[in-house]
Amino acid sequence: MADAQETISDRIQHQLDALTRAERQLALSILEDYPASGLGPLTALAKGANVSVPTVARMVQKLGFKGYPDFQTQLRGELRDSAKSPLAKHETWAGAAPSEHILNRFTDAVIDNIRSTLAHLNPAAFDEACALVADQSRHLYIVGGRITHTLADYLFMHMQVIRPNLTHVRSTSNTWPHYLLNANEGDVFVIFDVRRYENNTLKLAQMARARGARIVLFTDQWRSPVHRLADVSLTCRIIVPSAWDSAATTMLLVETMISAVQTLNWESTKDRMQELEEMFDSTKLFRKFT
Amino acid sequence: MADAQETISDRIQHQLDALTRAERQLALSILEDYPASGLGPLTALAKGANVSVPTVARMVQKLGFKGYPDFQTQLRGELRDSAKSPLAKHETWAGAAPSEHILNRFTDAVIDNIRSTLAHLNPAAFDEACALVADQSRHLYIVGGRITHTLADYLFMHMQVIRPNLTHVRSTSNTWPHYLLNANEGDVFVIFDVRRYENNTLKLAQMARARGARIVLFTDQWRSPVHRLADVSLTCRIIVPSAWDSAATTMLLVETMISAVQTLNWESTKDRMQELEEMFDSTKLFRKFT
DNA sequence: GTGCGTCTGTGATAAATTTTTCACAATTCT
DNA sequence: AGAATTGTGAAAAATTTATCACAGACGCAC
């Protein structure tokens, strides 16, 4: 546990000169395609390096490991770390605070979430979702639950500027069935549902589906049951060191979607934004400068 | 040999729908830190996924492998290949999309925002803000504007669980002066204000100040004029390749604050959360599993 | 070339671990 | 209530690891 710093690769390279012929052969073979070769059975590694089994066993211990399994465990640990951070991991975000400060721990977690979410996201699915949301010929319903209504709200607010023909629905409200009366085939529902998944939301999705609507779902890695009804599911990782889940990554996706949809609809949007600006100016609701 | 194309990760993701609860749990665990976790002993993988050993054995065969060792061999093969292929992957967030894709461009920008925000943030100020917000002897007012009311809402919602004695104010509403009548010296206002800064918000801040209240401000890098009245200003970078600004970084700070405040108030919060859970259970508003 | 010490491979074996499989009970979903 | 899924505990099978003794190979000095 002491040496979180020095990788096995480092350690081997450092000792390379002090090694004997067979050991060097083995060492080079390990480094050859690192770390894959070291993660297989000892026998395979020996054969791959053209050395004998005892040579491998001897050298692993020489490197300071209790045995081959111990060596592998460490290798896997490195692999984990390196997968997490293509770039420098052990930087602290808020330099002025220690790395155990909640600011750094939380940010670490969120960055991890972002990385993992994007890595698993299917861009084609995302594009398809954007196209659906951008399509002004379809009425757009945006649905949020108890926690997620803020995200729904955020999306709704921006979409209001970008396109007409949309409705904000709160699944926790008991008025939502009314909205569904107006839903037609081909309309689009953007639904937010993260754990704890809400029964209302599921029912709403089922009814929307029954009316022939398309469904775009924002959910978490455990996936809301709505995903079985959805045309596109966008899955976010939401784990943070807190009693709550994080909405930051979902927010990122929502904003990205806003940006993408805006680009798709740019011709019609720019006029709408222009008008909006003018209205703000005339009402003096906002200050232009500090 | 045939399938140099389809990785195990792909294969798992593809089948994710067809899997049962425990299998999905396992699948997510494998993907969680891929491929490291799959390269260890079967027993460890099972334990890590909170799943029984036979479940792992069964699923590996379901995925089309002769056995766990076979599965591992393929994983190592992938690892070899990915190490060989120069890069291109580690540069982009959504590996499956080109780096010019909006997903990658937007994420780049947000990560930059986070980095920059945290680098400039004063942890002591942040801690002070959290202490103010956590102090139950002060009434807590949370104020959002036209765009930022979603963030304010998010904070309010969580604070409602964590502590009593708080109020949500929308500066765009014309009812906010009423709230101020009740504000006492020492009360705390958490105010969100990003460009375009809102006159209403500024006026509200001035009146709050005049009544001797403390002010915690979330703002952007150009800083709302409210910052001159604030005891603590938390400044976020919000630039993204979009016609809009990004709330993702602000969301990150808000969530971190929620976590920190919750920790400060843990003793009293845990009972409140417990009660909340019970209420949810009894109302059956939520589903426990998919 | 000889001798010496070190290094390495062989083949075998024992020990340890891991994988696979079973039947049955418990749980959860429908 | 019934069907499907999952966990338990155990045992057997298979594989992998660790060691050993010894013989051959090699480098090197004389």
Side-chain angles (χ1 to χ4, degrees):
Chain A
M1 277 297 163
D3 45 332
Q5 315 280 20
E6 193 183 35
T7 70
I8 290 182
S9 170
D10 290 341
R11 213 188 296 189
I12 291 177
Q13 293 213 357
H14 193 258
Q15 297 201 10
L16 208 53
D17 291 328
L19 298 178
T20 58
R21 196 247 328 148
E23 287 174 337
R24 183 156 42 242
Q25 217 170 300
L26 171 59
L28 290 174
S29 172
I30 293 174
L31 296 178
E32 174 62 27
D33 48 14
Y34 185 85
S37 53
L39 290 167
L42 184 149
T43 326
L45 179 58
K47 191 170 294 176
N50 282 313
V51 291
S52 68
V53 167
T55 300
V56 180
R58 284 190 279 250
M59 169 145 145
V60 164
Q61 309 200 7
K62 215 171 183 175
L63 284 172
F65 297 98
K66 225 186 130 196
Y68 192 66
D70 186 29
F71 167 79
Q72 289 190 311
T73 302
Q74 170 116 2
L75 265 188
R76 278 198 303 276
E78 287 182 17
L79 184 57
R80 276 194 169 77
D81 293 345
S82 77
K84 289 250 155 101
S85 71
L87 20 136
K89 163 79 176 182
H90 283 296
E91 74 180 296
T92 51
W93 302 95
S99 65
E100 321 82 53
H101 192 282
I102 183 69
L103 276 170
N104 286 317
R105 293 200 344 263
F106 207 99
T107 305
D108 264 346
V110 169
I111 298 281
D112 260 4
N113 287 340
I114 292 174
R115 203 191 318 269
S116 168
T117 300
L118 273 284
H120 292 138
L121 189 69
N122 177 357
F126 180 81
D127 291 341
E128 187 191 340
C130 292
L132 279 174
V133 171
D135 188 342
Q136 305 198 6
S137 70
R138 308 166 184 275
H139 193 96
L140 178 63
Y141 294 86
I142 297 177
V143 185
R146 192 179 71 92
I147 296 273
T148 51
H149 83 264
T150 49
L151 289 163
D153 204 33
Y154 192 78
L155 178 60
F156 175 74
M157 200 162 49
H158 287 86
M159 283 301 144
Q160 256 185 321
V161 179
I162 294 177
R163 54 164 288 173
N165 209 18
L166 72 166
T167 308
H168 185 191
V169 185
R170 291 206 29 181
S171 72
T172 51
S173 140
N174 54 9
T175 62
W176 63 258
H178 301 347
Y179 291 117
L180 279 186
L181 285 177
N182 300 320
N184 296 315
E185 179 150 356
D187 284 353
V188 176
F189 281 73
V190 175
I191 298 180
F192 292 83
D193 197 26
V194 302
R195 69 173 185 189
R196 333 242 317 236
Y197 310 117
E198 301 181 21
N199 278 328
N200 272 343
T201 303
L202 178 58
K203 291 202 185 109
L204 191 155
Q206 282 164 341
M207 292 179 62
R209 185 86 235 173
R211 295 187 73 94
R214 315 290 298 270
I215 295 180
V216 172
L217 171 69
F218 282 89
T219 186
D220 56 38
Q221 64 193 132
W222 299 284
R223 303 215 293 186
S224 150
V226 174
H227 91 265
R228 279 188 288 268
L229 308 166
D231 295 273
V232 184
S233 289
L234 301 172
T235 307
C236 298
R237 199 166 177 278
I238 59 173
I239 305 175
V240 280
S242 166
W244 307 91
D245 293 321
S246 167
T249 303
T250 316
M251 178 64 103
L252 166 63
L253 278 196
V254 168
E255 291 188 325
T256 308
M257 175 175 278
I258 291 169
S259 174
V261 170
Q262 171 135 38
T263 302
L264 288 172
N265 276 343
W266 182 240
E267 274 312 308
S268 60
T269 301
K270 66 181 181 190
D271 298 336
R272 293 170 67 92
M273 285 193 77
Q274 182 72 32
E275 281 179 59
L276 194 65
E277 290 288 318
E278 281 160 13
M279 283 166 61
F280 283 143
D281 280 350
S282 68
T283 57
K284 298 208 175 127
L285 253 164
F286 297 96
R287 302 163 57 95
K288 280 213 167 162
F289 301 100
T290 68
Chain B
M1 279 289 184
D3 46 333
Q5 315 280 22
E6 194 184 33
T7 70
I8 291 182
S9 169
D10 290 341
R11 210 188 298 188
I12 292 177
Q13 291 221 339
H14 194 258
Q15 298 203 11
L16 210 52
D17 290 328
L19 298 179
T20 57
R21 197 251 321 153
E23 288 174 332
R24 183 157 42 244
Q25 216 169 300
L26 172 59
L28 289 171
S29 171
I30 293 174
L31 296 179
E32 175 64 28
D33 49 11
Y34 185 84
S37 53
L39 290 167
L42 183 149
T43 327
L45 179 59
K47 190 169 296 176
N50 281 315
V51 144
S52 70
V53 166
T55 300
V56 179
R58 284 191 279 249
M59 170 149 143
V60 165
Q61 309 200 7
K62 210 171 181 180
L63 285 171
F65 297 97
K66 230 189 123 192
Y68 190 67
D70 185 29
F71 167 78
Q72 290 190 310
T73 303
Q74 170 117 0
L75 266 189
R76 279 197 303 275
E78 287 181 16
L79 187 56
R80 276 194 169 77
D81 294 346
S82 78
K84 289 254 157 91
S85 87
L87 54 131
K89 292 223 162 168
H90 291 309
E91 290 290 330
T92 54
W93 301 95
S99 65
E100 322 82 53
H101 192 282
I102 183 68
L103 276 170
N104 286 318
R105 294 201 342 266
F106 207 99
T107 305
D108 266 345
V110 169
I111 298 282
D112 254 7
N113 287 340
I114 291 175
R115 204 191 311 269
S116 167
T117 299
L118 272 286
H120 292 135
L121 190 69
N122 176 357
F126 180 82
D127 291 339
E128 187 192 339
C130 291
L132 280 174
V133 172
D135 187 343
Q136 304 197 9
S137 68
R138 309 166 184 274
H139 194 98
L140 178 64
Y141 294 86
I142 297 177
V143 185
R146 192 179 71 92
I147 298 272
T148 51
H149 83 264
T150 49
L151 289 163
D153 203 33
Y154 192 76
L155 178 60
F156 175 74
M157 198 162 50
H158 287 86
M159 284 302 144
Q160 255 186 322
V161 178
I162 296 177
R163 54 163 286 172
N165 209 18
L166 72 167
T167 309
H168 186 193
V169 184
R170 293 213 18 188
S171 72
T172 51
S173 143
N174 54 9
T175 62
W176 62 258
H178 301 346
Y179 291 117
L180 279 189
L181 286 178
N182 299 320
N184 296 317
E185 178 151 356
D187 284 352
V188 175
F189 281 73
V190 174
I191 299 180
F192 292 85
D193 196 28
V194 301
R195 70 172 184 192
R196 329 256 312 245
Y197 310 117
E198 301 180 24
N199 277 329
N200 272 344
T201 304
L202 179 58
K203 287 197 185 119
L204 190 155
Q206 283 163 340
M207 293 179 62
R209 186 85 236 172
R211 296 187 71 94
R214 316 289 299 270
I215 295 180
V216 172
L217 171 70
F218 282 89
T219 185
D220 57 36
Q221 57 194 313
W222 299 284
R223 299 216 292 186
S224 150
V226 174
H227 89 264
R228 279 189 289 267
L229 308 166
D231 294 273
V232 184
S233 288
L234 301 171
T235 307
C236 300
R237 200 164 176 275
I238 59 172
I239 304 175
V240 281
S242 165
W244 306 91
D245 293 320
S246 166
T249 304
T250 316
M251 179 65 103
L252 167 63
L253 279 197
V254 168
E255 290 188 326
T256 309
M257 175 175 279
I258 290 168
S259 174
V261 170
Q262 171 135 36
T263 303
L264 288 173
N265 275 342
W266 183 239
E267 274 312 308
S268 61
T269 300
K270 66 180 180 191
D271 298 336
R272 295 170 67 93
M273 286 193 76
Q274 182 72 33
E275 282 180 57
L276 193 66
E277 289 289 318
E278 280 160 12
M279 283 166 63
F280 284 144
D281 280 350
S282 67
T283 57
K284 299 212 176 121
L285 255 165
F286 299 95
R287 300 165 56 95
K288 280 212 167 162
F289 300 100
T290 66

